[in-house]
Amino acid sequence: MTHPPTSSPPAPDAHPHRWRMLVLLALAELLGMALWFSASAVSPRLQALWGLSESQSGWLTGAVQLGFVAGTAAAALLNLADLVPNRAYFAVSALLAAGANAALVAADGYGPALALRFATGVFLAGVYPPAMKMVATWFRSARGLAIGTVVGALTVGKATPYLLRAFPQLGWQQVVLAASAGAVVAAILVGLAYREGPYPFARRPFAWGLIGEVARNRPARLAIAGYLGHMWELYAAWTFVSVFFADYFARHGVAEAGAEARAGVVGFAMIAAGGIGSVLAGRWADRLGRARITIGAMWISGACALVMGWMLRAPAWLAVLVALVWGASVVADSAQFSAIVTEVAPEHAVGTALTLQTALGFLLTSFSIAAVPHLRHAGGWPLAFGLLAVGPALGIAAMRRLEASRRRSSL
């Protein structure tokens, strides 16, 4: 496939099966990515069962992050996304991730559980990045909307274990197994029904230098830099917004159990709002330009990060409103960074470029997630959340440079 010049838009997508494939991939991502927070959603029960500290409980999520980094790094090094057929890569990865997650119910302690969460993250590296490439083979003129829809679906999928936990009749084992069952369904859907689209990316034999080729491509470097700024903020915001609201409701006189329950609901709503933001941003990006939308989204999310920490004394409606706007904007640009990479990276290395981008981004999240509790202790929520705004600021600078570079190249 050759990418059209930036000065002339691509012809409208016309394949009659494109929307069917978009729905299939969005559903598969929603079901598959529910594995991410499956243990985190039931961590209070695991904490009581195994006598875990708060730090150990937090590592049930941190292990998935690190496993995902390891999986994406290995996939990028081995060029898996550009060598293995997408359908098989996704389906096998989803089945392995489902198995690792389901094995958690048989774990007899913290150590085995941590290893299984790490393995789940490793296998999810074959579920998330390949889907970005798969949907891009079906869409060119509406690629922003398509990838935005997939990212919106997986965002809601990551929040679904918290929704399952809201049903008191479900034990923690049922929540975990339900997430694994969803991933199995995702593997079956893609394995049986997915087909490559009319805009396939070129393939070539394995090459150790493929990562270096991506790194030497300036537009790809700038797109990845923008993504890193976005990721510095994203997962830390998702991780700590419910902790913030637990503090908020406790300060406003709500009993501990009620504060935790309300904080969980707000946390779910904040993350799920990103699904709407991703779809809308994708639609606007196809009309207004992807770089412009990423810049706008980072302006909004960065402003919310600066304001959110000061909301402890605000009325509940205002604090929740800021959280929902933050949730909608903080992930809205994620799909557009992936879409930009599919357009500017060497076409035979698109899968490796997407995987490299994702590996670096998720590695960075571990630093911001680790920093927030320390900053909260040192200066409170304004300092802790304010630090997250540094990422969008740097991301905006990178995307402005990319936008200027692409304008010059089109002259």
Side-chain angles (χ1 to χ4, degrees):
M1 182 184 74
T2 58
H3 300 297
T6 58
S7 56
S8 59
D13 303 315
H15 198 286
H17 294 161
R18 66 190 186 281
W19 298 114
R20 182 190 308 171
M21 290 297 155
L22 176 59
V23 171
L24 183 148
L25 288 171
L27 181 58
E29 284 293 290
L30 189 153
L31 294 171
M33 296 306 288
L35 300 175
W36 198 285
F37 290 128
S38 62
S40 305
V42 297
S43 61
R45 303 178 193 180
L46 297 179
Q47 193 171 353
L49 178 66
W50 293 328
L52 306 181
S53 67
E54 289 188 8
S55 175
Q56 288 175 316
S57 181
W59 274 106
L60 292 174
T61 298
V64 180
Q65 303 280 125
L66 293 178
F68 188 80
V69 170
T72 50
L77 183 64
L78 299 174
N79 308 165
L80 293 182
D82 292 303
L83 293 175
V84 180
N86 292 321
R87 181 171 56 173
Y89 188 26
F90 183 106
V92 171
S93 297
L95 288 174
L96 292 173
N101 184 72
L104 186 66
V105 302
D108 58 1
Y110 178 64
L114 207 60
L116 289 169
R117 297 310 290 155
F118 182 88
T120 300
V122 170
F123 297 133
L124 283 175
V127 175
Y128 182 0
M132 304 301 103
K133 181 183 176 186
M134 291 159 73
V135 76
T137 68
W138 284 96
F139 292 86
R140 197 160 51 182
S141 66
R143 184 169 291 175
L145 172 62
I147 296 182
T149 299
V150 171
V151 169
L154 70 88
T155 299
V156 176
K158 286 183 177 182
T160 52
Y162 292 98
L163 190 59
L164 291 174
R165 192 184 68 179
F167 296 93
Q169 64 270 28
L170 293 179
W172 72 266
Q173 297 95 334
Q174 284 72 39
V175 173
V176 170
L177 292 175
S180 286
V184 171
V185 173
I188 294 172
L189 284 173
V190 171
L192 296 181
Y194 175 77
R195 298 293 182 272
E196 200 81 348
Y199 312 118
F201 294 94
R203 292 188 182 184
R204 82 177 201 183
F206 171 80
W208 286 110
L210 210 54
I211 294 178
E213 191 171 343
V214 172
R216 288 190 295 272
N217 183 287
R218 186 171 184 270
R221 285 202 314 272
L222 289 173
I224 292 173
Y227 178 78
L228 293 180
H230 148 80
M231 288 296 283
W232 173 262
E233 178 190 23
L234 176 60
Y235 273 81
W238 279 354
T239 300
F240 292 105
V241 71
S242 63
V243 180
F244 169 86
F245 274 98
D247 280 358
Y248 175 90
F249 289 120
R251 290 193 181 202
H252 285 258
V254 180
E256 182 178 354
E260 290 292 337
R262 294 186 188 186
V265 171
V266 176
F268 169 79
M270 184 266 197
I271 297 174
I276 299 172
S278 295
V279 175
L280 291 177
R283 186 173 182 84
W284 294 334
D286 290 325
R287 298 177 180 177
L288 304 176
R290 310 197 199 292
R292 186 179 300 178
I293 291 300
T294 63
I295 290 170
M298 285 188 285
W299 269 112
I300 296 171
S301 67
C304 289
L306 291 173
V307 170
M308 192 74 246
W310 299 97
M311 291 286 104
L312 281 175
R313 299 182 183 274
W317 69 266
L318 181 59
V320 172
L321 177 62
V322 172
L324 293 177
V325 173
W326 196 13
S329 59
V330 74
V331 73
D333 47 355
S334 186
Q336 303 318 309
F337 289 114
S338 298
I340 291 170
V341 166
T342 67
E343 294 171 342
V344 302
E347 64 178 23
H348 57 273
V350 165
T352 296
L354 286 170
T355 307
L356 176 64
Q357 175 196 50
T358 307
L360 293 175
F362 277 86
L363 179 62
L364 187 62
T365 64
S366 64
F367 293 98
S368 59
I369 289 173
V372 166
H374 297 288
L375 291 171
R376 176 193 172 198
H377 178 73
W381 286 112
L383 179 61
F385 281 158
L387 173 76
L388 301 185
V390 173
L394 296 177
I396 288 170
M399 297 313 293
R400 282 180 168 169
R401 292 176 65 186
L402 175 61
E403 199 173 31
S405 174
R406 297 182 82 181
R407 278 200 302 266
R408 288 194 298 269
S409 67
S410 66
L411 296 178

